[in-house]
Each structure stands twice: as C-alpha cells, then as structure tokens.
C-alpha cells in the first residue's frame, strides 16, 4: 500500500490495486501513537502537494505536543528559534508549558518566519474567530496530512496520534510517566498512560 501511495505521489502510477483492501486496526486502541516511519511520512506529506506554508507549520507544532485547541493560539512571539522552544498556552484539558521543537519542526518554523513578515502578536497558523472553528480547522489540516501520507484508512490514527508518538518516544527512552505528562501538559497521569498506549492498572506501585 505504501509503495503504490508513493508511486502515485511521484506520478509513476495512476491506480492503486490495494485501495479496496480493508485492513484491521493495528491495535485495540481508539487512538494509537504514530511510529517513527509514519511521522517521517507525515513530514514529507505536509510539504509535498500543498502550496500553503501552514501545513508544515501545523505539523511542526503538533510534533512539539500542541493539541488541536492549542495550535491556533500559538503566536509568533511564542516561538524562540534561538532556543528552539515554543510556549503552549494550555487549554481546559492541558496546562501552559514551554516545550522544545523537534529539529525538523524548528527548521520549518525558521523557514517560515525567516522569509515572511509576521507581527509578534499574529497567530502562526490561524487568524480566524471562534474556538470551535479554530479547533476543527486544525484537526482538518492534520487529517489532510494523514491522507496525503496514506494514513487516512488507519482507523486508530487520530489527531491525538502525533502527541501520542511524542509521549511514546519519551517512554521508550526511559522517561517516567510524570515527565511525559508534564511535557504534554496532561492534567492526569492515568490519561497520559492511555494516550501512549499503556495500561496504567498494570503499572507497579
């Protein structure tokens, strides 16, 4: 499936014989973490066929751990490219925090902010009104990136899967769940376990 998706993307194939094959979800989770290869595919997808600079900027902030609610509130002044960090203001479900950008994400924001004029108080990825509209616009952008990356038929891939990837990567590097929760702004350790695909009830006291 990935082979034919790539061939279509570069114009070497016009059909996909796998398109009608329904695959079972990879996990029993409602939302699973992306793996490293899928994140790389989404990075490529965010810059491939889209003419808008907003797609790689949205993905860069999502990789840093921003929720769909937090994304439209990130202002130019919230990004420190020298330190490669971004301020996320929090939401009803997350707390305010300063988090590092990935190397790829920092490069996308540096390319954007270094070539276009933005006032410090301007939102980086959205300038509209209305909380519901802002959130749905960001979710739609991430879903379009998933579609371009060939992940739109993965039923356990959601807009939370990129944040879950970040948390899962931290856990795989041996970080305690409390530090993962702080990085993601989570108000509950139990919810953090669920986000990264762990059974909190099986954890040792």
């Amino acid at each position: 499936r990935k082979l034919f998706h790539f061939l279509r993307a570069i114009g070497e194939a016009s059909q996909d014989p796998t398109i009608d094959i329904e695959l079972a979800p990879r996990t029993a989770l409602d939302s699973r973490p992306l793996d490293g290869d899928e994140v790389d595919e989404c990075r490529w997808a965010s810059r491939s066929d889209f003419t808008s600079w907003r797609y790689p900027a949205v993905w860069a902030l999502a990789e840093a751990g921003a929720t769909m609610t937090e994304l439209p509130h990130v202002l130019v002044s919230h990004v420190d490219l020298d330190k490669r960090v971004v301020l996320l203001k929090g939401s009803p479900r997350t707390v305010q925090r300063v988090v590092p950008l990935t190397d790829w994400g920092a490069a996308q924001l540096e390319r954007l902010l270094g070539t276009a004029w933005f006032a410090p108080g301007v939102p980086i990825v959205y300038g509209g009104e209305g909380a519901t509209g802002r959130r749905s616009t960001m979710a739609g952008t991430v879903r379009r990136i998933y579609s371009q990356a060939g992940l739109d038929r993965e039923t356990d891939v959601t807009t939370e899967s990129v944040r879950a990837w970040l948390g899962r990567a931290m856990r795989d590097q041996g970080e305690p769940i409390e530090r993962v929760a702080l990085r993601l702004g989570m108000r509950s350790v139990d919810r953090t376990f669920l986000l990264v695909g762990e059974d909190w009830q099986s954890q040792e006291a």
Side-chain angles (χ1 to χ4, degrees):
R1 177 170 287 179
K2 289 183 179 180
L3 171 63
F4 280 99
H5 176 79
F6 176 74
L7 291 175
R8 292 200 319 274
I10 63 175
E12 294 297 325
S14 59
Q15 296 181 341
D16 181 354
T18 72
I19 197 166
D20 292 323
I21 299 175
E22 294 294 332
L23 299 178
R26 295 190 188 184
T27 69
L29 302 171
D30 291 333
S31 177
R32 68 167 174 84
L34 299 178
D35 63 33
D37 288 341
E38 290 170 335
V39 170
D40 286 340
E41 290 165 6
C42 288
R43 290 172 175 177
W44 167 81
S46 73
R47 298 191 59 192
S48 59
D49 285 351
F50 302 122
T51 57
S52 173
W53 48 262
R54 184 162 58 93
Y55 288 88
V58 165
W59 193 257
L61 295 173
E63 279 193 358
T67 67
M68 299 301 104
T69 302
E70 292 170 328
L71 268 167
H73 298 287
V74 179
L75 308 180
V76 173
S77 60
H78 294 162
V79 176
D80 186 332
L81 289 174
D82 291 331
K83 295 181 179 178
R84 295 196 165 198
V85 297
V86 59
L87 168 66
L88 301 177
K89 297 291 285 183
S91 71
R93 298 181 65 183
T94 54
V95 299
Q96 179 173 299
R97 60 215 183 272
V98 175
V99 297
L101 296 161
T102 63
D103 291 341
W104 183 91
Q108 307 317 303
L109 294 180
E110 187 171 20
R111 182 180 294 109
L112 168 63
L113 300 180
T115 58
W117 182 87
F118 289 90
V122 171
I124 291 179
V125 295
Y126 188 76
E129 298 294 335
T132 301
R134 288 192 293 264
R135 184 170 59 251
S136 63
T137 297
M138 294 301 100
T141 299
V142 170
R143 290 191 185 101
R144 284 193 67 189
I145 293 171
Y146 284 158
S147 180
Q148 185 70 8
L151 296 173
D152 52 316
R153 287 179 284 173
E154 299 275 351
T155 58
D156 51 2
V157 170
T158 71
T159 54
E160 281 285 89
S161 291
V162 59
R163 277 167 42 82
W165 158 78
L166 175 60
R168 183 69 261 162
M170 293 179 67
R171 289 292 282 163
D172 290 344
Q173 293 168 3
E175 295 285 0
I177 196 67
E178 292 82 5
R179 184 166 294 181
V180 176
L182 287 173
R183 173 72 175 274
L184 297 177
M186 304 287 281
R187 298 179 184 273
S188 164
V189 169
D190 292 349
R191 286 186 59 240
T192 308
F193 273 127
L194 292 174
L195 180 68
V196 300
E198 291 186 43
D199 181 3
W200 63 270
Q201 293 177 317
S202 67
Q203 302 297 314
E204 296 181 0

